[in-house]
Amino acid sequence: MTQHRRYSGLKVGALAVPTIAALVLTGCSASTGSSTSSGGSQEFSLSFATSNTIESPFQVLAENYMKSNPNVKITFNPQPNDSYDQTLRTQLQAGNASDVVVTAPGSGTGRSILPLVQAGFLEPLDDAATKLVPTGSEALFGMDGKVYGQAPEITVVGMVANETAAKAAGITDFPSDFSSLAEQCKTLESSGKSFFALAGSAAPNTGLMAMSLAASRVYAEDPKWNEKRTAKETTFAGSDGWKASLEAVTKLNDAGCFQKGAAGAGFDAITKGLAGGTSVAGFIPGPSWKQLESAAADSDFDVRGLPAEQGSDKGFVFASANYAFSINAASKNKDAAKAFLDWAAQPEQTKAFAEIDGALPVSGLDSYDFNGGAYKNVGDLIKNGKYGPLPNSQWPNSAVYDALATGVQGIITGQKSADQVLQAMDTAWDQ
């Protein structure tokens, strides 16, 4: 099922990581309230991806659940984000995965719901989870009328900027178009700083950068591009927008937009660069603003859309439910796991999770106040329907995203061209 520009889950006009999380956030404690059945001790385990040593919002929520339900014990199994997909799949195949696992809607990554359902790894969920599926996204959360993932929040993906560091570097007005951005990169490079902090050795981050560049060049122009690719009406290699998106990577690289050593850098380079003020922005999920603000108390962080090409009125961001709670079909603790998910689906908990993570709420967003908060710079884009889900949530397999992410790494090091990467993505799509 396709999704359109006016993503109907966001009623004002709601993911890996993604699908693809570059940083995993923490924050204040959530409100509590129990829906666990009374009785003896209940135990279950929870797996989620993490990109640093800071506590995950999934863990924070679960710890609050245990506080309000002393008879429950939850074992946490965090996994590095860059290997989470492979680890999750391996553990599910071996029969030793956690009872509750964090997945992603759609089919574009190794943690995506649809291929895991097809492999028989996930348990159908109840009405509480069904009610949280953004309208029009049913096909991304299950099949045959069943839902296998419970959305916890809406994640905006564009870039996160250290507004304090930008002002200190002389950026009084944020670049309004891509050409101005490239010029600003050159200025910052001459002063020993960079506009972007990039984890060039981490495929999730290079892939997210490429998709962010494609937001205004591909999906603002044609929100149904994925649908046309599925119908074989277009290809990546034959798309001017996708070619321009990958050529933009080279332009950013040549303009000195990335920090020195970016090609070999890991996720820690993003945290250090943005929190330390040596870089202005990063291609990371919107909720990252909260973790960064806690790490750099004297800095203000905001979520922004990536500037489009000069003369273009095609500002665009990705905003969707990029993560989900799922239950392992082989779990021996399904009752305890379902009780947790039922509790997490309560309105006060979905609101609390969004606050913990620094995201937008999965429900009640039609009354959300964008003014003055971290999302003030993307509020108009969302209200005007200039957003959509992460593209790879609708791609047929994770190999397409892998081809993009590793291909961008090759572009940065000069080992691959945009055309080679796009051809590899088409090959992966059709396999």
Side-chain angles (χ1 to χ4, degrees):
M1 184 169 185
T2 60
Q3 295 195 17
H4 306 285
R5 179 181 303 185
R6 191 175 185 79
Y7 186 57
S8 52
L10 289 178
K11 303 192 184 294
V12 296
L15 332 306
V17 107
T19 113
I20 320 242
L23 298 174
V24 181
L25 296 309
T26 186
C28 59
S29 296
S31 59
T32 59
S34 174
S35 66
T36 306
S37 58
S38 60
S41 175
Q42 299 187 43
E43 297 187 13
F44 66 92
S45 51
L46 170 64
S47 282
F48 48 87
T50 181
S51 299
N52 47 45
T53 58
I54 299 177
E55 195 172 36
S56 158
F58 298 103
Q59 182 167 337
V60 173
L61 187 71
E63 287 176 342
N64 284 325
Y65 181 66
M66 287 191 287
K67 289 177 183 177
S68 61
N69 296 277
N71 61 321
V72 174
K73 177 182 178 181
I74 303 174
T75 300
F76 299 114
N77 294 316
Q79 301 293 330
N81 186 60
D82 55 0
S83 60
Y84 179 79
D85 291 13
Q86 181 179 354
T87 300
L88 175 62
R89 188 89 184 196
T90 298
Q91 291 178 341
L92 288 169
Q93 289 173 336
N96 59 3
S98 294
D99 301 298
V100 178
V101 295
V102 174
T103 55
S107 57
T109 71
R111 73 188 73 175
S112 292
I113 290 171
L114 299 185
L116 295 179
V117 171
Q118 292 169 343
F121 292 142
L122 302 183
E123 180 79 4
L125 303 181
D126 57 21
D127 290 344
T130 301
K131 292 177 180 177
L132 293 182
V133 176
T135 304
S137 299
E138 293 82 1
L140 300 180
F141 281 80
M143 56 185 63
D144 299 327
K146 298 179 180 179
V147 170
Y148 294 83
Q150 180 170 305
E153 67 181 17
I154 297 296
T155 300
V156 175
V157 176
M159 60 181 177
V160 175
N162 184 332
E163 304 290 338
T164 303
K167 291 178 181 178
I171 303 176
T172 55
D173 293 314
F174 215 82
S176 58
D177 58 65
F178 192 75
S179 296
S180 299
L181 171 61
E183 288 302 315
Q184 188 64 67
C185 288
K186 296 175 182 177
T187 301
L188 287 172
E189 184 186 33
S190 66
S191 64
K193 297 184 179 182
S194 69
F195 198 97
F196 292 110
L198 181 71
S201 70
N205 194 228
T206 54
L208 194 63
M209 173 179 66
M211 290 195 298
S212 296
L213 291 166
S216 63
R217 293 168 177 80
V218 179
Y219 296 95
E221 178 74 24
D222 189 357
K224 295 185 179 181
W225 193 92
N226 282 346
E227 184 178 348
K228 292 179 179 178
R229 180 62 184 86
T230 299
K232 298 184 178 181
E233 296 175 4
T234 188
T235 62
F236 287 103
S239 167
D240 291 340
W242 268 106
K243 185 172 182 178
S245 300
L246 296 195
E247 288 176 342
V249 174
T250 299
K251 292 179 181 178
L252 291 176
N253 195 33
D254 291 346
C257 293
F258 310 133
Q259 82 279 12
K260 293 186 182 301
F267 282 116
D268 61 324
I270 300 176
T271 306
K272 293 177 181 177
L274 296 189
T278 56
S279 296
V280 171
F283 298 96
I284 49 181
S288 302
W289 74 266
K290 190 161 189 177
Q291 176 198 315
L292 289 166
E293 207 160 86
S294 67
D298 295 332
S299 295
D300 292 324
F301 292 85
D302 282 343
V303 181
R304 290 180 174 271
L306 192 66
E309 295 287 358
Q310 187 173 13
S312 170
D313 186 26
K314 294 183 176 126
F316 197 87
V317 294
F318 297 121
S320 55
N322 293 341
Y323 307 101
F325 287 111
S326 294
I327 294 179
N328 179 1
S331 169
K332 296 180 180 179
N333 302 297
K334 291 178 183 176
D335 288 343
K338 288 181 178 179
F340 168 64
L341 263 61
D342 286 344
W343 174 85
Q346 296 173 2
E348 59 268 35
Q349 306 309 333
T350 59
K351 179 181 178 181
F353 188 90
E355 292 176 351
I356 291 170
D357 199 20
L360 296 176
V362 71
S363 58
L365 196 55
D366 49 348
S367 59
Y368 188 83
D369 182 10
F370 287 94
N371 296 324
Y375 292 92
K376 59 181 179 292
N377 293 304
V378 297
D380 286 343
L381 291 175
I382 293 176
K383 291 177 181 178
N384 294 327
K386 294 183 178 182
Y387 63 89
L390 277 173
N392 64 327
S393 67
Q394 298 173 325
W395 294 351
N397 57 66
S398 60
V400 183
Y401 180 78
D402 291 342
L404 172 64
T406 57
V408 168
Q409 291 174 321
I411 290 175
I412 293 173
T413 58
Q415 297 173 308
K416 289 186 178 181
S417 67
D419 287 337
Q420 289 175 319
V421 177
L422 295 173
Q423 289 168 4
M425 293 173 70
D426 282 320
T427 299
W429 185 293
D430 295 328
Q431 69 182 13

